[in-house]
Amino acid sequence: QVYADVTDPSRGPEIFAAVDGCSGLDDAALAPRAFNLTVTVDNLGGRYNVRVGGDIVVLYGGISLTTGIVEDLSVPPHGVAEVAVRAGSGGLGLPEELAVAMAEELKRVGGVVRLEVRVLSLNHTSLMCTVNLNLGGGAPAPAPSLRAGSSQG
């Protein structure tokens, strides 16, 4: 089997993420954060298998909110793979300045905050995307909070 980190240069693999649930953003400065994500890897334009896996980081304003682990995936050419991921802050709260910035953005854009999701790997393809977190009206169901020292995968 042939594996490649870069498929067709004109159409490499893409990543999409959806926030299925979150916790720790309502009491942002005090509570640890957690996100339940669905990560989709699209290799529809590829000619080779693409391997993806490693650390996942959810960022706001370039600052890491949570981290987790994406299981190693092999996505065949012209294929799509989806995986559920839980990312947590390891018990840390949100810095006050960041909590204020998020609250201001929520007010400006009607309850939506834009987050960045990165899958980082030394051995496989590293990918990035943005995702809208909707906290107004149709907020996602809360994710269970992670305890310090618990497994995040």
Side-chain angles (χ1 to χ4, degrees):
Q1 222 172 15
V2 177
Y3 289 97
D5 278 351
V6 178
T7 59
D8 180 358
S10 65
R11 172 66 165 78
E14 294 180 318
I15 184 175
F16 303 94
V19 178
D20 300 321
C22 65
S23 64
L25 295 179
D26 44 2
D27 245 346
L30 304 174
R33 293 161 314 285
F35 289 100
N36 288 338
L37 305 166
T38 300
V39 176
T40 304
V41 180
D42 169 350
N43 191 24
L44 292 175
R47 295 182 295 184
Y48 304 100
N49 284 354
V50 173
R51 294 181 70 183
V52 177
D55 296 325
I56 189 166
V57 182
V58 179
L59 303 105
Y60 174 73
I63 298 173
S64 173
L65 297 177
T66 60
T67 60
I69 302 292
V70 175
E71 298 174 25
D72 285 352
L73 296 173
S74 178
V75 186
H78 313 293
V80 175
E82 189 174 273
V83 65
V85 177
R86 189 165 88 173
S89 65
L92 300 176
L94 193 61
E96 188 174 339
E97 310 81 49
L98 203 56
V100 169
M102 284 181 82
E104 289 174 1
E105 184 175 349
L106 283 168
K107 288 177 189 171
R108 271 195 322 272
V109 288
V112 177
V113 173
R114 176 159 266 179
L115 303 173
E116 184 178 336
V117 176
R118 295 182 190 173
V119 177
L120 308 170
S121 174
L122 295 176
N123 301 318
H124 305 311
T125 304
S126 293
L127 299 168
M128 173 196 111
C129 70
T130 58
V131 61
N132 288 333
L133 174 61
N134 185 351
L135 294 176
S145 294
L146 297 176
R147 296 186 198 135
S150 68
S151 173
Q152 297 182 31

PDB file of all heavy atoms in Angstrom, residues 98-127:
ATOM      1  N   LEU A  98      -8.901  36.799  27.407  1.00  0.00           N
ATOM      2  CA  LEU A  98      -9.480  35.999  26.328  1.00  0.00           C
ATOM      3  C   LEU A  98     -10.979  35.816  26.543  1.00  0.00           C
ATOM      4  O   LEU A  98     -11.758  35.859  25.593  1.00  0.00           O
ATOM      5  CB  LEU A  98      -8.772  34.645  26.254  1.00  0.00           C
ATOM      6  CG  LEU A  98      -8.833  33.912  24.935  1.00  0.00           C
ATOM      7  CD1 LEU A  98      -8.306  34.763  23.796  1.00  0.00           C
ATOM      8  CD2 LEU A  98      -8.066  32.620  25.020  1.00  0.00           C
ATOM      9  N   ALA A  99     -11.387  35.628  27.782  1.00  0.00           N
ATOM     10  CA  ALA A  99     -12.811  35.502  28.100  1.00  0.00           C
ATOM     11  C   ALA A  99     -13.555  36.768  27.705  1.00  0.00           C
ATOM     12  O   ALA A  99     -14.650  36.716  27.131  1.00  0.00           O
ATOM     13  CB  ALA A  99     -12.993  35.208  29.589  1.00  0.00           C
ATOM     14  N   VAL A 100     -12.964  37.931  27.958  1.00  0.00           N
ATOM     15  CA  VAL A 100     -13.580  39.213  27.598  1.00  0.00           C
ATOM     16  C   VAL A 100     -13.682  39.334  26.077  1.00  0.00           C
ATOM     17  O   VAL A 100     -14.718  39.731  25.537  1.00  0.00           O
ATOM     18  CB  VAL A 100     -12.779  40.397  28.206  1.00  0.00           C
ATOM     19  CG1 VAL A 100     -13.229  41.732  27.619  1.00  0.00           C
ATOM     20  CG2 VAL A 100     -12.912  40.395  29.717  1.00  0.00           C
ATOM     21  N   ALA A 101     -12.611  38.975  25.362  1.00  0.00           N
ATOM     22  CA  ALA A 101     -12.618  39.046  23.891  1.00  0.00           C
ATOM     23  C   ALA A 101     -13.696  38.136  23.304  1.00  0.00           C
ATOM     24  O   ALA A 101     -14.412  38.525  22.379  1.00  0.00           O
ATOM     25  CB  ALA A 101     -11.242  38.673  23.336  1.00  0.00           C
ATOM     26  N   MET A 102     -13.829  36.923  23.848  1.00  0.00           N
ATOM     27  CA  MET A 102     -14.855  35.999  23.363  1.00  0.00           C
ATOM     28  C   MET A 102     -16.249  36.550  23.626  1.00  0.00           C
ATOM     29  O   MET A 102     -17.127  36.488  22.759  1.00  0.00           O
ATOM     30  CB  MET A 102     -14.711  34.630  24.011  1.00  0.00           C
ATOM     31  CG  MET A 102     -13.575  33.809  23.459  1.00  0.00           C
ATOM     32  SD  MET A 102     -13.471  32.175  24.237  1.00  0.00           S
ATOM     33  CE  MET A 102     -14.700  31.288  23.292  1.00  0.00           C
ATOM     34  N   ALA A 103     -16.465  37.105  24.813  1.00  0.00           N
ATOM     35  CA  ALA A 103     -17.773  37.675  25.165  1.00  0.00           C
ATOM     36  C   ALA A 103     -18.132  38.826  24.231  1.00  0.00           C
ATOM     37  O   ALA A 103     -19.277  38.937  23.782  1.00  0.00           O
ATOM     38  CB  ALA A 103     -17.767  38.137  26.624  1.00  0.00           C
ATOM     39  N   GLU A 104     -17.150  39.670  23.907  1.00  0.00           N
ATOM     40  CA  GLU A 104     -17.401  40.786  22.986  1.00  0.00           C
ATOM     41  C   GLU A 104     -17.744  40.288  21.599  1.00  0.00           C
ATOM     42  O   GLU A 104     -18.643  40.805  20.940  1.00  0.00           O
ATOM     43  CB  GLU A 104     -16.193  41.717  22.946  1.00  0.00           C
ATOM     44  CG  GLU A 104     -16.021  42.526  24.215  1.00  0.00           C
ATOM     45  CD  GLU A 104     -14.744  43.358  24.237  1.00  0.00           C
ATOM     46  OE1 GLU A 104     -13.971  43.333  23.246  1.00  0.00           O
ATOM     47  OE2 GLU A 104     -14.520  44.029  25.255  1.00  0.00           O
ATOM     48  N   GLU A 105     -17.022  39.252  21.128  1.00  0.00           N
ATOM     49  CA  GLU A 105     -17.320  38.697  19.807  1.00  0.00           C
ATOM     50  C   GLU A 105     -18.709  38.062  19.787  1.00  0.00           C
ATOM     51  O   GLU A 105     -19.447  38.196  18.814  1.00  0.00           O
ATOM     52  CB  GLU A 105     -16.266  37.671  19.393  1.00  0.00           C
ATOM     53  CG  GLU A 105     -16.485  37.152  17.981  1.00  0.00           C
ATOM     54  CD  GLU A 105     -15.384  36.223  17.491  1.00  0.00           C
ATOM     55  OE1 GLU A 105     -14.331  36.119  18.146  1.00  0.00           O
ATOM     56  OE2 GLU A 105     -15.608  35.598  16.441  1.00  0.00           O
ATOM     57  N   LEU A 106     -19.072  37.371  20.856  1.00  0.00           N
ATOM     58  CA  LEU A 106     -20.405  36.767  20.942  1.00  0.00           C
ATOM     59  C   LEU A 106     -21.495  37.819  20.800  1.00  0.00           C
ATOM     60  O   LEU A 106     -22.500  37.596  20.114  1.00  0.00           O
ATOM     61  CB  LEU A 106     -20.565  36.018  22.264  1.00  0.00           C
ATOM     62  CG  LEU A 106     -19.880  34.669  22.361  1.00  0.00           C
ATOM     63  CD1 LEU A 106     -19.865  34.170  23.796  1.00  0.00           C
ATOM     64  CD2 LEU A 106     -20.563  33.662  21.456  1.00  0.00           C
ATOM     65  N   LYS A 107     -21.312  38.966  21.423  1.00  0.00           N
ATOM     66  CA  LYS A 107     -22.305  40.045  21.339  1.00  0.00           C
ATOM     67  C   LYS A 107     -22.360  40.629  19.934  1.00  0.00           C
ATOM     68  O   LYS A 107     -23.426  40.934  19.417  1.00  0.00           O
ATOM     69  CB  LYS A 107     -21.976  41.151  22.343  1.00  0.00           C
ATOM     70  CG  LYS A 107     -22.238  40.756  23.775  1.00  0.00           C
ATOM     71  CD  LYS A 107     -21.818  41.878  24.722  1.00  0.00           C
ATOM     72  CE  LYS A 107     -21.872  41.396  26.157  1.00  0.00           C
ATOM     73  NZ  LYS A 107     -21.285  42.376  27.079  1.00  0.00           N
ATOM     74  N   ARG A 108     -21.176  40.811  19.298  1.00  0.00           N
ATOM     75  CA  ARG A 108     -21.110  41.436  17.968  1.00  0.00           C
ATOM     76  C   ARG A 108     -21.731  40.572  16.890  1.00  0.00           C
ATOM     77  O   ARG A 108     -22.338  41.080  15.959  1.00  0.00           O
ATOM     78  CB  ARG A 108     -19.655  41.714  17.584  1.00  0.00           C
ATOM     79  CG  ARG A 108     -19.129  43.043  18.010  1.00  0.00           C
ATOM     80  CD  ARG A 108     -17.827  43.409  17.295  1.00  0.00           C
ATOM     81  NE  ARG A 108     -16.907  42.311  17.075  1.00  0.00           N
ATOM     82  CZ  ARG A 108     -15.965  41.905  17.933  1.00  0.00           C
ATOM     83  NH1 ARG A 108     -15.837  42.496  19.084  1.00  0.00           N
ATOM     84  NH2 ARG A 108     -15.172  40.913  17.646  1.00  0.00           N
ATOM     85  N   VAL A 109     -21.529  39.283  16.958  1.00  0.00           N
ATOM     86  CA  VAL A 109     -21.956  38.414  15.852  1.00  0.00           C
ATOM     87  C   VAL A 109     -23.063  37.447  16.262  1.00  0.00           C
ATOM     88  O   VAL A 109     -23.172  36.353  15.725  1.00  0.00           O
ATOM     89  CB  VAL A 109     -20.762  37.648  15.230  1.00  0.00           C
ATOM     90  CG1 VAL A 109     -19.893  38.564  14.428  1.00  0.00           C
ATOM     91  CG2 VAL A 109     -19.952  36.917  16.265  1.00  0.00           C
ATOM     92  N   GLY A 110     -23.874  37.826  17.213  1.00  0.00           N
ATOM     93  CA  GLY A 110     -25.073  37.068  17.534  1.00  0.00           C
ATOM     94  C   GLY A 110     -24.834  35.682  18.096  1.00  0.00           C
ATOM     95  O   GLY A 110     -25.515  34.736  17.706  1.00  0.00           O
ATOM     96  N   GLY A 111     -23.887  35.545  18.992  1.00  0.00           N
ATOM     97  CA  GLY A 111     -23.697  34.257  19.657  1.00  0.00           C
ATOM     98  C   GLY A 111     -22.801  33.281  18.931  1.00  0.00           C
ATOM     99  O   GLY A 111     -22.811  32.090  19.237  1.00  0.00           O
ATOM    100  N   VAL A 112     -22.021  33.747  17.954  1.00  0.00           N
ATOM    101  CA  VAL A 112     -21.126  32.861  17.207  1.00  0.00           C
ATOM    102  C   VAL A 112     -19.679  33.297  17.420  1.00  0.00           C
ATOM    103  O   VAL A 112     -19.364  34.478  17.320  1.00  0.00           O
ATOM    104  CB  VAL A 112     -21.450  32.864  15.696  1.00  0.00           C
ATOM    105  CG1 VAL A 112     -20.465  32.012  14.920  1.00  0.00           C
ATOM    106  CG2 VAL A 112     -22.873  32.375  15.461  1.00  0.00           C
ATOM    107  N   VAL A 113     -18.821  32.335  17.733  1.00  0.00           N
ATOM    108  CA  VAL A 113     -17.390  32.589  17.880  1.00  0.00           C
ATOM    109  C   VAL A 113     -16.665  31.707  16.876  1.00  0.00           C
ATOM    110  O   VAL A 113     -16.987  30.534  16.726  1.00  0.00           O
ATOM    111  CB  VAL A 113     -16.901  32.247  19.310  1.00  0.00           C
ATOM    112  CG1 VAL A 113     -15.396  32.355  19.414  1.00  0.00           C
ATOM    113  CG2 VAL A 113     -17.565  33.147  20.325  1.00  0.00           C
ATOM    114  N   ARG A 114     -15.683  32.270  16.181  1.00  0.00           N
ATOM    115  CA  ARG A 114     -14.902  31.499  15.213  1.00  0.00           C
ATOM    116  C   ARG A 114     -13.678  30.932  15.907  1.00  0.00           C
ATOM    117  O   ARG A 114     -12.880  31.652  16.489  1.00  0.00           O
ATOM    118  CB  ARG A 114     -14.487  32.378  14.051  1.00  0.00           C
ATOM    119  CG  ARG A 114     -13.577  31.610  13.077  1.00  0.00           C
ATOM    120  CD  ARG A 114     -13.570  32.228  11.757  1.00  0.00           C
ATOM    121  NE  ARG A 114     -14.588  31.497  11.022  1.00  0.00           N
ATOM    122  CZ  ARG A 114     -14.920  31.748   9.799  1.00  0.00           C
ATOM    123  NH1 ARG A 114     -14.366  32.714   9.148  1.00  0.00           N
ATOM    124  NH2 ARG A 114     -15.835  31.038   9.193  1.00  0.00           N
ATOM    125  N   LEU A 115     -13.531  29.608  15.833  1.00  0.00           N
ATOM    126  CA  LEU A 115     -12.403  28.895  16.417  1.00  0.00           C
ATOM    127  C   LEU A 115     -11.548  28.304  15.304  1.00  0.00           C
ATOM    128  O   LEU A 115     -12.028  28.086  14.197  1.00  0.00           O
ATOM    129  CB  LEU A 115     -12.895  27.757  17.317  1.00  0.00           C
ATOM    130  CG  LEU A 115     -13.828  28.137  18.458  1.00  0.00           C
ATOM    131  CD1 LEU A 115     -14.345  26.879  19.142  1.00  0.00           C
ATOM    132  CD2 LEU A 115     -13.125  29.038  19.445  1.00  0.00           C
ATOM    133  N   GLU A 116     -10.304  28.017  15.619  1.00  0.00           N
ATOM    134  CA  GLU A 116      -9.415  27.332  14.688  1.00  0.00           C
ATOM    135  C   GLU A 116      -9.136  25.941  15.244  1.00  0.00           C
ATOM    136  O   GLU A 116      -8.939  25.779  16.441  1.00  0.00           O
ATOM    137  CB  GLU A 116      -8.113  28.112  14.556  1.00  0.00           C
ATOM    138  CG  GLU A 116      -7.164  27.545  13.539  1.00  0.00           C
ATOM    139  CD  GLU A 116      -5.903  28.395  13.417  1.00  0.00           C
ATOM    140  OE1 GLU A 116      -5.932  29.594  13.740  1.00  0.00           O
ATOM    141  OE2 GLU A 116      -4.882  27.829  13.000  1.00  0.00           O
ATOM    142  N   VAL A 117      -9.158  24.945  14.382  1.00  0.00           N
ATOM    143  CA  VAL A 117      -8.866  23.565  14.768  1.00  0.00           C
ATOM    144  C   VAL A 117      -7.662  23.103  13.955  1.00  0.00           C
ATOM    145  O   VAL A 117      -7.655  23.209  12.733  1.00  0.00           O
ATOM    146  CB  VAL A 117     -10.067  22.634  14.510  1.00  0.00           C
ATOM    147  CG1 VAL A 117      -9.718  21.186  14.826  1.00  0.00           C
ATOM    148  CG2 VAL A 117     -11.281  23.081  15.320  1.00  0.00           C
ATOM    149  N   ARG A 118      -6.644  22.607  14.656  1.00  0.00           N
ATOM    150  CA  ARG A 118      -5.441  22.094  13.988  1.00  0.00           C
ATOM    151  C   ARG A 118      -5.198  20.661  14.421  1.00  0.00           C
ATOM    152  O   ARG A 118      -5.281  20.344  15.603  1.00  0.00           O
ATOM    153  CB  ARG A 118      -4.210  22.917  14.366  1.00  0.00           C
ATOM    154  CG  ARG A 118      -4.239  24.335  13.901  1.00  0.00           C
ATOM    155  CD  ARG A 118      -2.968  25.051  14.289  1.00  0.00           C
ATOM    156  NE  ARG A 118      -3.091  26.478  14.047  1.00  0.00           N
ATOM    157  CZ  ARG A 118      -2.188  27.356  14.417  1.00  0.00           C
ATOM    158  NH1 ARG A 118      -1.089  26.961  15.046  1.00  0.00           N
ATOM    159  NH2 ARG A 118      -2.369  28.633  14.172  1.00  0.00           N
ATOM    160  N   VAL A 119      -4.878  19.813  13.455  1.00  0.00           N
ATOM    161  CA  VAL A 119      -4.409  18.457  13.735  1.00  0.00           C
ATOM    162  C   VAL A 119      -2.929  18.459  13.394  1.00  0.00           C
ATOM    163  O   VAL A 119      -2.540  18.712  12.254  1.00  0.00           O
ATOM    164  CB  VAL A 119      -5.168  17.392  12.914  1.00  0.00           C
ATOM    165  CG1 VAL A 119      -4.595  16.009  13.186  1.00  0.00           C
ATOM    166  CG2 VAL A 119      -6.657  17.425  13.234  1.00  0.00           C
ATOM    167  N   LEU A 120      -2.100  18.220  14.403  1.00  0.00           N
ATOM    168  CA  LEU A 120      -0.648  18.307  14.255  1.00  0.00           C
ATOM    169  C   LEU A 120      -0.025  16.939  14.416  1.00  0.00           C
ATOM    170  O   LEU A 120      -0.367  16.198  15.335  1.00  0.00           O
ATOM    171  CB  LEU A 120      -0.076  19.249  15.323  1.00  0.00           C
ATOM    172  CG  LEU A 120      -0.727  20.623  15.405  1.00  0.00           C
ATOM    173  CD1 LEU A 120      -0.259  21.354  16.640  1.00  0.00           C
ATOM    174  CD2 LEU A 120      -0.448  21.419  14.155  1.00  0.00           C
ATOM    175  N   SER A 121       0.908  16.611  13.520  1.00  0.00           N
ATOM    176  CA  SER A 121       1.536  15.308  13.572  1.00  0.00           C
ATOM    177  C   SER A 121       2.950  15.393  13.013  1.00  0.00           C
ATOM    178  O   SER A 121       3.189  16.079  12.026  1.00  0.00           O
ATOM    179  CB  SER A 121       0.725  14.308  12.743  1.00  0.00           C
ATOM    180  OG  SER A 121       1.395  13.073  12.669  1.00  0.00           O
ATOM    181  N   LEU A 122       3.862  14.673  13.640  1.00  0.00           N
ATOM    182  CA  LEU A 122       5.217  14.575  13.101  1.00  0.00           C
ATOM    183  C   LEU A 122       5.300  13.524  12.002  1.00  0.00           C
ATOM    184  O   LEU A 122       6.155  13.590  11.133  1.00  0.00           O
ATOM    185  CB  LEU A 122       6.205  14.220  14.211  1.00  0.00           C
ATOM    186  CG  LEU A 122       6.384  15.272  15.296  1.00  0.00           C
ATOM    187  CD1 LEU A 122       7.307  14.757  16.392  1.00  0.00           C
ATOM    188  CD2 LEU A 122       6.931  16.557  14.710  1.00  0.00           C
ATOM    189  N   ASN A 123       4.418  12.528  12.047  1.00  0.00           N
ATOM    190  CA  ASN A 123       4.500  11.398  11.123  1.00  0.00           C
ATOM    191  C   ASN A 123       3.482  11.427   9.995  1.00  0.00           C
ATOM    192  O   ASN A 123       3.608  10.670   9.047  1.00  0.00           O
ATOM    193  CB  ASN A 123       4.319  10.093  11.897  1.00  0.00           C
ATOM    194  CG  ASN A 123       5.370   9.932  12.965  1.00  0.00           C
ATOM    195  OD1 ASN A 123       6.537  10.222  12.733  1.00  0.00           O
ATOM    196  ND2 ASN A 123       4.960   9.493  14.137  1.00  0.00           N
ATOM    197  N   HIS A 124       2.448  12.231  10.128  1.00  0.00           N
ATOM    198  CA  HIS A 124       1.365  12.220   9.142  1.00  0.00           C
ATOM    199  C   HIS A 124       1.073  13.641   8.666  1.00  0.00           C
ATOM    200  O   HIS A 124       1.731  14.595   9.061  1.00  0.00           O
ATOM    201  CB  HIS A 124       0.098  11.614   9.744  1.00  0.00           C
ATOM    202  CG  HIS A 124       0.276  10.254  10.332  1.00  0.00           C
ATOM    203  ND1 HIS A 124       0.896   9.219   9.668  1.00  0.00           N
ATOM    204  CD2 HIS A 124      -0.065   9.759  11.534  1.00  0.00           C
ATOM    205  CE1 HIS A 124       0.908   8.149  10.439  1.00  0.00           C
ATOM    206  NE2 HIS A 124       0.339   8.448  11.577  1.00  0.00           N
ATOM    207  N   THR A 125       0.043  13.766   7.871  1.00  0.00           N
ATOM    208  CA  THR A 125      -0.389  15.060   7.367  1.00  0.00           C
ATOM    209  C   THR A 125      -0.902  15.929   8.503  1.00  0.00           C
ATOM    210  O   THR A 125      -1.667  15.465   9.338  1.00  0.00           O
ATOM    211  CB  THR A 125      -1.517  14.855   6.332  1.00  0.00           C
ATOM    212  OG1 THR A 125      -1.038  13.993   5.307  1.00  0.00           O
ATOM    213  CG2 THR A 125      -1.950  16.167   5.722  1.00  0.00           C
ATOM    214  N   SER A 126      -0.486  17.191   8.547  1.00  0.00           N
ATOM    215  CA  SER A 126      -1.025  18.162   9.490  1.00  0.00           C
ATOM    216  C   SER A 126      -2.032  19.027   8.754  1.00  0.00           C
ATOM    217  O   SER A 126      -1.764  19.491   7.649  1.00  0.00           O
ATOM    218  CB  SER A 126       0.090  19.032  10.076  1.00  0.00           C
ATOM    219  OG  SER A 126       0.939  18.253  10.889  1.00  0.00           O
ATOM    220  N   LEU A 127      -3.212  19.223   9.355  1.00  0.00           N
ATOM    221  CA  LEU A 127      -4.290  19.941   8.693  1.00  0.00           C
ATOM    222  C   LEU A 127      -4.873  20.983   9.635  1.00  0.00           C
ATOM    223  O   LEU A 127      -4.733  20.892  10.848  1.00  0.00           O
ATOM    224  CB  LEU A 127      -5.394  18.967   8.265  1.00  0.00           C
ATOM    225  CG  LEU A 127      -4.982  17.872   7.279  1.00  0.00           C
ATOM    226  CD1 LEU A 127      -6.067  16.827   7.165  1.00  0.00           C
ATOM    227  CD2 LEU A 127      -4.689  18.483   5.923  1.00  0.00           C
TER     228      LEU A 127
END
